[in-house]
Amino acid sequence: MFHHSAKLQYEVRVDKPNPQFARHLQQAIGGIEGEIRVAMQYFFQAMGARGDAKYRDLLMMTATEELSHIEFLGHAVALNLEGAPLSLQEEAAQDPVVNAILAGTNPRHILSSGLSAMPVNANGVPFDMSHVYATGNIGADMLANATAEAGGRVLASRLYNMTDDPGMKDMLSFLIARDTMHQQQWLAVIEELGGLEKQLPIPNSTPTEHEATAHSYYFLNTSIDEPTPEGRWTSGPSLDGRSEFSVVENVEPLGQQPSLGKARPNSGAQNEQL
């Protein structure tokens, strides 16, 4: 069961409406870095959560907060569309600056939504849920969540730098701050579970005998004309503490040359393939 307050989570103020910026804000709603993505990701992770119930609660509460972000971003889109000309015959559309803005807007804000937000990205493509990651493995999901929040914070930072509207900057500074917290909380779960060393490899429940461990910790230099990029991943103890990193130069293939042989009769192949 969900409860809803009539008041937004954070104040939304647009001092100077900008239809072009409304289109940019759509990425924060329906883009792969946006709020629909993380709300659904945390929601489905919560529904599939097993183990300590507090992690399910953490996910569900954060999913609900992300729904709040969709709501106030949608309001920001609508406020930025205030006064946008509905036809080229309107007086406002005769202004060359307005016409320049119109060239960068999403026409569906007029044609489909009546000057309000939609569940689409900045190019008008609907969010299709293909970037919702919920594996049922808490280690994999927490890493995916930290990555999602990192992408969201990058986007919010870019949007902040694209506007000079004080109200929009204030709202985006709030989103940037919440992205900071969400990054921290997902990584804190991993730390609480023993940190990366204890959680890696994911899934850590896979029996060792199911893994060809001779191939688990070497870096392959697959370049024909570049030296191995030396780094933390080429020498020293592995991050899970199970082995040492090494490098394989002059990589030799371990498999066979693939050949499917002749085609089967009645398979629709040419006679020469049979």
Side-chain angles (χ1 to χ4, degrees):
M1 181 174 64
F2 292 90
H3 295 274
H4 179 262
S5 168
K7 294 184 177 180
L8 299 174
Q9 182 187 7
Y10 192 76
E11 180 187 21
V12 177
R13 185 183 81 253
V14 175
D15 297 330
K16 185 177 181 182
N18 183 338
Q20 189 174 33
F21 193 63
R23 178 175 182 172
H24 297 332
L25 284 174
Q26 282 287 166
Q27 191 69 17
I29 295 175
I32 61 172
E33 315 93 334
E35 304 295 343
I36 294 177
R37 182 267 179 97
V38 289
M40 291 298 99
Q41 181 158 307
Y42 305 156
F43 184 51
F44 277 88
Q45 286 179 7
M47 289 195 296
R50 290 177 170 82
D52 194 324
K54 69 178 181 179
Y55 299 123
R56 180 188 187 280
D57 294 341
L58 169 65
L59 285 160
M60 190 61 76
M61 291 175 187
T62 309
T64 306
E65 180 186 354
E66 302 295 8
L67 292 175
S68 303
H69 295 179
I70 297 170
E71 184 180 25
F72 71 66
L73 279 167
H75 190 55
V77 167
L79 291 182
N80 272 287
L81 291 169
E82 284 291 318
L86 294 173
S87 76
L88 294 180
Q89 283 68 47
E90 289 192 29
E91 183 178 351
Q94 308 311 311
D95 185 293
V97 175
V98 173
N99 267 312
I101 291 174
L102 277 171
T105 61
N106 182 351
R108 288 194 60 209
H109 278 149
I110 295 173
L111 300 173
S112 301
S113 70
L115 303 181
S116 59
M118 297 180 293
V120 302
N121 68 13
N123 289 327
V125 179
F127 185 72
D128 65 1
M129 303 292 178
S130 61
H131 286 277
V132 171
Y133 307 124
T135 67
N137 179 292
I138 192 170
D141 286 349
M142 292 303 111
L143 288 175
N145 293 351
T147 299
E149 293 291 345
R153 195 170 190 271
V154 168
L155 175 61
S157 297
R158 288 171 176 163
L159 287 167
Y160 186 95
N161 292 330
M162 292 177 71
T163 181
D164 58 3
D165 186 283
M168 287 293 88
K169 281 188 175 293
D170 181 60
M171 180 195 75
L172 289 164
S173 71
F174 176 78
L175 280 176
I176 291 169
R178 296 309 297 156
D179 287 340
T180 295
M181 174 57 193
H182 294 161
Q183 286 182 39
Q184 295 290 305
Q185 72 184 42
W186 305 134
L187 294 173
V189 171
I190 292 176
E191 181 179 279
E192 187 172 274
L193 294 172
L196 277 177
E197 180 171 341
K198 189 170 181 180
Q199 288 302 297
L200 294 175
I202 295 171
N204 58 11
S205 58
T206 297
T208 304
E209 59 268 24
H210 291 187
E211 179 178 355
T213 54
H215 306 285
S216 296
Y217 297 98
Y218 58 71
F219 174 81
L220 287 178
N221 181 347
T222 56
S223 174
I224 61 172
D225 55 8
E226 291 288 342
T228 295
E230 296 289 340
R232 175 68 180 83
W233 56 90
T234 57
S235 63
S238 60
L239 297 177
D240 56 19
R242 299 198 315 172
S243 188
E244 295 279 324
F245 288 127
S246 62
V247 175
V248 174
E249 306 274 8
N250 304 316
V251 180
E252 294 290 337
L254 303 177
Q256 73 275 32
Q257 182 173 332
S259 175
L260 298 179
K262 297 292 187 179
R264 293 172 58 187
N266 302 318
S267 65
Q270 295 297 94
N271 286 327
E272 292 77 8
Q273 295 176 272
L274 301 176

